Amino acid sequence: MISSQIQKLNSTKPLSSLLPKPSILSHGNPSLPIYKQQYLPKRQANFRIRAALGNAKVLSKPSTTETAVKVKATVTVKVTIGGIFSNIGLTVPLDELTEVFGKSFLLELVSSQLDPNTGLEKETIKAYAHKASQKDDEVKYETKFTVPAGFGAVGAVLVENQHHKEIFLKDIVLEGFPNGPVNVECDSWAHSKYDDSKKRIFFANKSYITTETPDGLKRLREQELEDIRGNGEGERKSHERIYDYDTYNDLGFPDISSKLARPVLGGKERPYPRRCRTGRPRTRKDPSSESKSLINYVPRDEVFSEVKQITFSAKTLKSVLNALLPSIESVFEDPKLGFPYFNAIDSLFDEGVTLPKPKNTGFLRTVLPRLVKTFREGGDELLLFDTPDMIDRDKFSWFKDEEFSRQTLAGLNPFSIQLVTEWPLTSKLDPEIYGPPESMITTELLEKEIGGIMTVEEAKKQKRIFMLDYHDLYLPYVNKVRELEGTTLYGSRTLFFLMENGTLRPLAIELTRPPSGDKPQWKQVFTPSCSDATGCWLWRLAKAHVCAHDSGYHQLVIHWLRTHCCAEPYIIAANRQLSAMHPINRLLRPHFRYTMEINALARESLINAAGIIETTFSPGKYCMELSSVAYDKLWRFDTEALPADLIRRGMAVEDPTARHGLKLTIEDYPFANDGLVLWDAIKEWVGDYVKHYYPEASMVESDKELQAWWTEVRAKGHEDKKDEPWWPVLKTQENLVHVLTTIIWVTSGHHAAVNFGQYMYGGYFPNRPTIARTNMPTESPSDEEWKLFLKKPELSLLKCFPTQLQATKVMAVLNVLSSHSPDEEYIGEKTEPSWEENPVIKAAFEKFTGRLKELEGIIDERNTDLNLKNRTGAGVVPYELLKPFSAHGVTGKGVPNSISI
């Protein structure tokens, strides 16, 4: 193959004539052809450096040289889609020539020491690597160096990629030193020198805090961070690794229609965390908004791996959004049509939805085998949903008040339930605008619902009254939302009573509409202990509204805002301020994997104007604005820690004598019980890690990179809250441990608890409708509506639920988002190469892994205890969302390291 290419080159045109003409996608480089963007691998923990010394133990001494030594370098490269081994593109002959001449990579060894005579950096040792072998998806390149006496320990390797395409470096191993090999973990893309003349810098696996950086590496350490920060100018190119900040100014499409314009999130008017800057041009009609492009830039090493790409990104979520959803839309001729009866909902699981014959036969069935089945010989495909575990166990569980209450403690959103500490209930909104602030849930009404066993004052003192409070957050948006077609909204409060057996029982639901035009404020209280059929059906309708409120708050605030959105600034700041050799960078790296990429996909197709969220959730076009209000009024870093969050909601109090140092207000609180075990395990692991690298408090305060990272998180990443007094200050090891534990908890346990149960609890949408489309029948009803409700209340409930189109779209998306990919990395499962080489850190990680395996057993045991009625019982789905490990697919368990879906 190569020889034939050479003959062809010699017998035809000169090399320069093979170069493609400049194109809009070639980043200004005439040697790059136009290719379709591929999502390719970033760093992965299972791609590790392996020392070729058999059973030799890792030595603590650096690999220095007292005499000249011969050193062999082995570079491992991953074969990638569209990479240098793909035989795609006009530059293939040139890259094959590069291989023939043995100049694939220029490697330069960097000494950790300065020249003792000059005080300057020692000259690097250079050599070209050539292809040596290939096995499966890995290609080995080799070269040899003569390292002179006194060169010192190799602290870094500079790499110049001679190919015309980027390559994915797995690792570099240097063998031949007296004290053992030098291992360099890469797990990163090396750009072509034709894209960027700067060499890539890869540091050896030994970690250094800033003050302990070897003199010979100080300049390179600073240079790499400067390169990663960029200059804040221009549009980012797909091969770049530049991290910078911007507001959420890319959610709308003002150039298409004024109806699709959306306000910028971030700034004094609408506070919000920052996202990664892309530098795309501004829109023509709104200079404050950023335009769209074919490629939504994320730094190159943040892109999904090929396995993740095939099973999630390109082939799954994008297939759902770009192929399946349009196909579904074509099936439902009337997008406003609801389900005529409950059996029609059941048919989604029994009979499915026949999709029109696709242009690309078998495509959807190939990429979505769980959802799309073969149907008939004519080529039609069938969209058939698996029955969610909750409904499979108990078909009518969604209808029961017991399950409605139980899910506040062990369902998809266990973060909203709170203790009632003030009575009577009063709104804090302006009464001149929103009407009387007093709640209609009176003491007399509650005591009647409690059954006379105690007074409200006694129940409050005994901590027996709890609430879901969506009143003041939603009420300012009620009139705005009601101007939109096909949706409605209320402010709501739902009260519960803690029974002697540890379960919750609902007491009352209050729905409120603020004054509107000449209409005064409207509010009504609905109770479950109704003595007539009309009251019972009104209660069921009120529950449907509350479930829609909870679904929206869960998705927009608890899930998107508090995990995905608020974590991105931590990632950007860590890459900008913490060197790749910094131990805290290496601690956090597994917990940041793929988050920026999934967030970019969300901005592109989920939270954007007219995207899935806006078209299927009650707040409609105001969804993201509402999350901005929640960020402004509710989000604080110091209460993102699980213990602090529980205390803030009144669900726990500090108790030094209790396990975890907390006493839970509700003892059988499955999320909190399992979450605190996980929190403690993370905290112990982080504590061991931090104390190894920072044995003294002064070292935390004097670490410039560490302090710069935390300052930037506050001052740039969360700029709109930078002056808040509750931000932790990094002065001691304990401060640092708490900050890091909080971040790791948010990206692992918090996210897992609110993400991987989405299909289990929301797949049967009557349990968690995402939208309520009609007002309560008692709010200014027409005679016709009231008569319909009295004659056929079931139909009124179905009309309130999502339309057939909305429900089917949401079910398809939730099925994908609830799924673990085959390359999922679970917390405590895989060690990082730099940890493996440090005996102290390795032992601490093994202890961490052991504690997580213990948690698996603890959860299994708890789920067999029939006394724990909130997590087990007849037809009850066992609470497993915080079990650390899982198989791939929709399992309802498993805690990945990072927010990767």
Side-chain angles (χ1 to χ4, degrees), residues 38-54:
Q38 298 284 349
Y39 291 105
L40 301 172
K42 70 173 288 262
R43 52 180 74 120
Q44 300 180 45
N46 59 326
F47 294 159
R48 300 188 295 192
I49 303 162
R50 292 174 173 83
L53 291 180

Side-chain angles (χ1 to χ4, degrees), residues 71-75 107 126-130 141-145:
V71 173
K72 176 185 174 182
T74 303
V75 181
L107 304 181
K126 303 177 182 180
Y128 283 98
H130 62 276
Y141 289 82
E142 295 178 355
T143 191
K144 292 183 179 179
F145 296 92

Side-chain angles (χ1 to χ4, degrees), residues 560-588:
W560 162 255
L561 174 67
R562 289 179 60 180
T563 66
H564 288 262
C565 186
C566 286
E568 188 155 338
Y570 311 147
I571 303 169
I572 298 172
N575 282 278
R576 286 167 54 89
Q577 300 297 343
L578 295 175
S579 167
M581 70 165 72
H582 199 291
I584 302 305
N585 182 307
R586 285 173 165 159
L587 173 67
L588 291 174

Side-chain angles (χ1 to χ4, degrees), residues 381-558:
E381 293 180 325
L382 186 70
L383 177 64
L384 185 65
F385 292 97
D386 293 332
T387 303
D389 193 25
M390 172 190 163
I391 300 302
D392 191 46
R393 288 170 177 267
D394 183 351
K395 185 176 181 178
F396 301 105
S397 57
W398 70 276
F399 212 54
K400 301 174 182 176
D401 288 347
E402 295 87 352
E403 182 64 13
F404 171 63
S405 302
R406 190 190 73 84
Q407 287 185 26
T408 65
L409 302 171
L412 190 56
N413 178 19
F415 281 88
S416 287
I417 189 74
Q418 59 181 299
L419 179 70
V420 172
T421 57
E422 296 180 1
W423 191 264
L425 301 176
T426 306
S427 171
K428 294 178 172 56
L429 298 174
D430 186 350
E432 294 294 323
I433 300 174
Y434 299 105
E438 297 82 14
S439 170
M440 286 186 66
I441 303 177
T442 63
T443 299
E444 293 74 21
L445 184 148
L446 272 198
E447 289 179 350
K448 178 182 177 183
E449 290 301 316
I450 290 172
I453 60 175
M454 64 177 65
T455 66
V456 169
E457 186 60 32
E458 289 171 335
K460 179 171 164 288
K461 184 178 292 185
Q462 294 180 29
K463 299 184 178 180
R464 302 280 291 271
I465 304 178
F466 296 83
M467 175 170 58
L468 292 179
D469 186 3
Y470 300 129
H471 187 275
D472 285 10
L473 181 67
Y474 279 168
L475 202 63
Y477 280 87
V478 168
N479 289 331
K480 293 179 183 179
V481 168
R482 287 183 172 213
E483 293 176 359
L484 306 176
E485 186 179 3
T487 185
T488 191
L489 192 64
Y490 292 100
S492 69
R493 297 185 181 101
T494 306
L495 266 62
F496 302 87
F497 181 73
L498 179 62
M499 306 292 287
E500 292 293 340
N501 65 0
T503 63
L504 291 176
R505 180 169 69 82
L507 296 174
I509 292 173
E510 181 181 37
L511 300 179
T512 305
R513 182 206 68 202
S516 175
D518 58 353
K519 295 180 180 179
Q521 181 196 69
W522 176 90
K523 63 177 69 170
Q524 187 171 347
V525 178
F526 305 89
T527 60
S529 61
C530 39
S531 57
D532 63 288
T534 301
C536 288
W537 274 102
L538 287 173
W539 168 253
R540 289 163 186 159
L541 278 163
K543 274 202 305 183
H545 280 274
V546 170
C547 287
H549 298 168
D550 190 66
S551 291
Y553 188 80
H554 159 262
Q555 203 66 265
L556 298 171
V557 179
I558 302 299

Side-chain angles (χ1 to χ4, degrees), residues 97-170:
L97 275 177
T98 300
E99 299 285 345
V100 169
F101 295 137
K103 292 189 174 183
S104 301
F105 307 103
L106 175 62
L107 304 181
E108 299 184 37
L109 306 186
V110 180
S111 174
S112 297
Q113 303 174 3
L114 296 177
D115 188 314
N117 297 319
T118 65
L120 303 175
E121 293 176 4
K122 294 182 180 179
E123 186 175 348
T124 59
I125 307 171
K126 303 177 182 180
Y128 283 98
H130 62 276
K131 184 177 177 181
S133 64
Q134 179 171 352
K135 184 178 180 181
D136 299 328
D137 65 343
E138 290 188 355
V139 182
K140 302 286 186 182
Y141 289 82
E142 295 178 355
T143 191
K144 292 183 179 179
F145 296 92
T146 299
V147 179
F151 185 75
V154 174
V157 179
L158 306 184
V159 178
E160 183 177 71
N161 176 16
Q162 305 292 308
H163 299 93
H164 288 75
K165 295 181 181 180
E166 61 185 357
I167 48 94
F168 188 79
L169 293 182
K170 175 183 172 184

Side-chain angles (χ1 to χ4, degrees), residues 29-282:
N29 190 326
S31 66
L32 289 178
I34 298 176
Y35 296 113
K36 187 177 180 181
Q37 170 71 6
Q38 298 284 349
Y39 291 105
L40 301 172
K42 70 173 288 262
R43 52 180 74 120
Q44 300 180 45
N46 59 326
F47 294 159
R48 300 188 295 192
I49 303 162
R50 292 174 173 83
L53 291 180
N55 296 322
K57 296 181 179 179
V58 177
L59 300 177
S60 60
K61 292 182 179 180
S63 297
T64 58
T65 56
E66 299 300 331
T67 60
V69 295
K70 299 288 187 181
V71 173
K72 176 185 174 182
T74 303
V75 181
T76 303
V77 172
K78 296 289 291 183
V79 177
T80 57
I81 299 172
I84 61 173
F85 307 106
S86 66
N87 294 320
I88 300 173
L90 297 177
T91 62
V92 169
L94 302 178
D95 287 334
E96 288 182 343
L97 275 177
T98 300
E99 299 285 345
V100 169
F101 295 137
K103 292 189 174 183
S104 301
F105 307 103
L106 175 62
L107 304 181
E108 299 184 37
L109 306 186
V110 180
S111 174
S112 297
Q113 303 174 3
L114 296 177
D115 188 314
N117 297 319
T118 65
L120 303 175
E121 293 176 4
K122 294 182 180 179
E123 186 175 348
T124 59
I125 307 171
K126 303 177 182 180
Y128 283 98
H130 62 276
K131 184 177 177 181
S133 64
Q134 179 171 352
K135 184 178 180 181
D136 299 328
D137 65 343
E138 290 188 355
V139 182
K140 302 286 186 182
Y141 289 82
E142 295 178 355
T143 191
K144 292 183 179 179
F145 296 92
T146 299
V147 179
F151 185 75
V154 174
V157 179
L158 306 184
V159 178
E160 183 177 71
N161 176 16
Q162 305 292 308
H163 299 93
H164 288 75
K165 295 181 181 180
E166 61 185 357
I167 48 94
F168 188 79
L169 293 182
K170 175 183 172 184
D171 57 49
I172 303 169
V173 179
L174 306 174
E175 299 171 279
F177 293 106
N179 294 331
V182 173
N183 299 315
V184 182
E185 175 197 11
C186 302
D187 282 340
S188 177
W189 290 95
H191 57 261
S192 167
K193 71 175 185 180
Y194 302 102
D195 277 334
D196 188 341
S197 61
K198 291 181 180 178
K199 299 179 178 69
R200 280 300 310 274
I201 304 168
F202 293 103
F203 295 105
N205 286 1
K206 184 173 173 58
S207 298
Y208 296 96
I209 64 173
T210 315
T211 54
E212 295 179 352
T213 310
D215 291 339
L217 302 178
K218 287 181 178 178
R219 184 188 62 83
L220 283 181
R221 183 169 184 154
E222 294 174 0
Q223 178 188 318
E224 187 203 28
L225 289 174
E226 288 177 5
D227 292 343
I228 287 174
R229 293 181 197 121
N231 59 12
E233 298 176 359
E235 183 173 358
R236 298 274 64 86
K237 300 176 177 63
S238 60
H239 70 268
E240 292 178 331
R241 298 168 54 250
I242 294 176
Y243 295 75
D244 204 352
Y245 300 94
D246 207 343
T247 57
Y248 277 73
N249 59 3
D250 63 342
L251 301 179
F253 304 90
D255 288 346
I256 296 177
S257 168
S258 59
K259 294 181 179 180
L260 296 177
R262 296 294 180 269
V264 174
L265 302 184
K268 290 184 178 180
E269 188 174 349
R270 295 181 181 87
Y272 217 57
R274 299 302 191 259
R275 64 168 176 92
C276 184
R277 178 185 178 277
T278 65
R280 292 174 293 190
R282 301 295 169 136

